[in-house]
């Protein structure tokens, strides 16, 4: 069974709320259209048997409105569960959580994580500028650890980025930078060791973390890297898993494979934010790099991480 772990669902209720707030996928860019039929068509065309659906960015927390975040998460999880129920042979989902409220996040995990539609929890790299290793989020990580949860981390725009100086839609570079920030934040706080029960999946081959691994390793004698623990940054990065959405070149997937090995990678399409033609090209590129290891990435690794996908 070939599984895509980075596949988005954009439900009408969610999109309508964001349109009413004047919020798009990112500044200046609207949400793409999506339907169950479009996902199934893409999956059929590209030989993907099952997709794990997630909400992804821009998330749920807008203008500090926690009540809205809670409401949007609840409706999104209900829509995800209904979609899986209607197409159980093709979809599963990651639970959406309304951080930065720890109490609301814990309630949402308790409410939905054991529902048979869900195979893990979806988090963003930062919430209002606070990254996942923030001490305030410790109760959430502890609960995910207790549940032995698979956690997919999707990039979010950072609170501050040079919008005026770089005339590009910010996702092109800021998403990979923010994934890197989230990974470094977790490791600097030692969260990867304190919560070994969490299986982390980071998007886009871990952003620029593979490139920076050697640079960070050189800095390990510094006191601020003390909590990275025995084996240092390289051991930490080799414990994580990664999807290869939009990161299938020899310069991205190639270097990440040298760092972590094919057993740590999974298919990611980023549909519908990435169109079918581009997804197809990325899959071909990945297959060329991986060779016989493509079967491990597409089938064996998700079977190991999600042993209850069938049925």
């Amino acid at each position: 069974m070939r599984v895509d772990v980075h596949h988005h669902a954009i439900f009408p209720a969610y999109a309508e709320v964001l349109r009413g707030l004047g919020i798009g996928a990112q500044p200046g860019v609207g949400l793409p259209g999506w339907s169950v039929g479009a996902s199934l068509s893409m999956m059929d065309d590209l030989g993907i048997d099952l997709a794990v659906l997630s909400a992804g960015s821009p998330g749920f927390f807008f203008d500090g409105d926690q009540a809205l975040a809670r409401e949007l998460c609840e409706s999104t999880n209900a829509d995800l569960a209904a979609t899986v129920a209607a197409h159980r042979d093709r979809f599963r989902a990651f639970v959406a959580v309304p951080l930065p409220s720890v109490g609301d996040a814990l309630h949402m995990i308790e409410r939905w994580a054991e529902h048979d539609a869900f195979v893990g929890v979806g988090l963003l790299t930062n919430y209002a500028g606070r990254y996942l290793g923030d001490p305030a989020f410790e109760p959430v990580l502890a609960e995910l650890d207790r549940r032995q949860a698979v956690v997919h981390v999707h990039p979010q725009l950072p609170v501050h980025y040079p919008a005026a100086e770089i005339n590009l839609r910010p996702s092109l570079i800021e998403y990979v930078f923010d994934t890197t920030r989230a990974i470094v934040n977790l490791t600097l706080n030692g969260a990867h060791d304190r919560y070994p029960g969490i299986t982390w999946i980071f998007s886009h081959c871990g952003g620029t973390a593979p490139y920076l691994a050697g640079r960070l390793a050189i800095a390990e004698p510094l006191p601020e890297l003390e909590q990275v623990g025995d084996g240092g940054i390289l051991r930490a990065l080799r414990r994580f898993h990664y999807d290869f959405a939009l990161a299938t070149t020899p310069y991205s997937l190639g270097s990440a494979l040298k760092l972590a090995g094919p057993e740590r990678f999974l298919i990611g399409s980023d549909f519908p934010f990435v169109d079918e033609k581009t997804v197809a090209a990325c899959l071909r590129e990945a297959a060329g790099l991986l060779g016989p290891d493509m079967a491990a990435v597409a089938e064996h690794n998700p079977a190991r991480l999600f042993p209850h996908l069938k049925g």
Side-chain angles (χ1 to χ4, degrees), residues 85 184 232:
V184 173

Side-chain angles (χ1 to χ4, degrees), residues 263-302:
E263 66 275 9
R264 294 289 169 173
F265 287 83
L266 301 120
I267 286 178
S269 69
D270 213 351
F271 187 83
F273 292 93
V274 177
D275 64 86
E276 181 177 330
K277 181 178 178 181
T278 303
V279 174
C282 287
L283 288 173
R284 288 193 300 270
E285 191 169 44
L289 276 173
L290 286 159
D293 289 326
M294 186 65 177
V297 171
E299 302 176 40
H300 305 155
N301 294 345

Side-chain angles (χ1 to χ4, degrees), residues 9-294:
I10 305 170
F11 296 108
Y14 176 83
E16 183 179 352
V17 169
L18 264 63
R19 278 196 296 269
L21 295 171
I23 295 170
Q26 54 183 303
V29 181
L31 290 168
W34 176 81
S35 67
V36 169
S39 280
L40 291 174
S41 176
M42 183 278 276
M43 292 161 64
D44 289 342
D45 290 345
L46 302 185
I48 295 169
D49 299 301
L50 187 141
V52 184
L53 301 174
S54 57
S57 56
F60 304 94
F61 186 68
F62 305 115
D63 296 324
D65 190 339
Q66 187 60 43
L68 175 63
R70 186 169 57 247
E71 178 183 339
L72 278 178
C73 268
E74 177 62 29
S75 67
T76 296
N77 286 325
D79 285 338
L80 287 167
T83 302
V84 173
H87 305 275
R88 187 163 176 81
D89 58 333
R90 305 305 303 275
F91 295 123
R92 293 295 189 278
F94 290 122
V95 176
V97 298
L99 284 171
S101 168
V102 168
D104 287 344
L106 290 172
H107 172 77
M108 204 67 65
I109 292 167
E110 180 180 5
R111 174 162 166 72
W112 290 105
E114 293 182 15
H115 190 292
D116 63 5
F118 297 96
V119 294
V121 172
L123 297 179
L124 297 176
T125 47
N126 84 82
Y127 293 88
R130 295 157 68 184
Y131 288 83
L132 300 178
D134 190 301
F137 296 156
E138 291 276 314
V140 174
L141 298 189
E143 177 63 11
L144 295 172
D145 180 72
R146 185 187 71 81
R147 290 177 176 272
Q148 305 280 292
V150 176
V151 175
H152 184 267
V153 181
H154 191 275
Q156 172 75 302
L157 291 179
V159 173
H160 302 290
Y161 59 91
E165 289 77 16
I166 299 177
N167 187 26
L168 287 172
R169 56 184 63 192
S171 63
L172 290 174
I173 57 175
E174 295 299 338
Y175 276 10
V176 293
F177 293 159
D178 218 54
T179 295
T180 306
R181 292 184 189 101
I183 290 172
V184 173
N185 173 265
L186 277 171
T187 55
L188 289 183
N189 285 283
H192 60 301
D193 279 334
R194 284 198 308 285
Y195 304 111
I198 300 175
T199 298
W200 296 96
I201 304 172
F202 289 96
S203 300
H204 309 300
C205 283
T208 61
Y211 168 80
L212 291 171
R215 186 179 180 93
L216 292 169
I218 289 170
E220 283 168 8
L222 297 175
E224 54 261 44
L225 274 79
E226 181 179 357
Q227 291 193 73
V228 173
D230 294 340
I233 194 72
L234 295 180
R235 177 186 65 92
L237 293 177
R238 287 168 178 153
R239 285 179 56 179
F240 299 142
H241 291 76
Y242 308 92
D243 74 54
F244 63 42
L246 279 182
T248 53
T249 68
Y251 334 113
S252 50
L253 179 57
S255 63
L257 285 168
K258 288 183 181 296
L259 173 68
E263 66 275 9
R264 294 289 169 173
F265 287 83
L266 301 120
I267 286 178
S269 69
D270 213 351
F271 187 83
F273 292 93
V274 177
D275 64 86
E276 181 177 330
K277 181 178 178 181
T278 303
V279 174
C282 287
L283 288 173
R284 288 193 300 270
E285 191 169 44
L289 276 173
L290 286 159
D293 289 326
M294 186 65 177

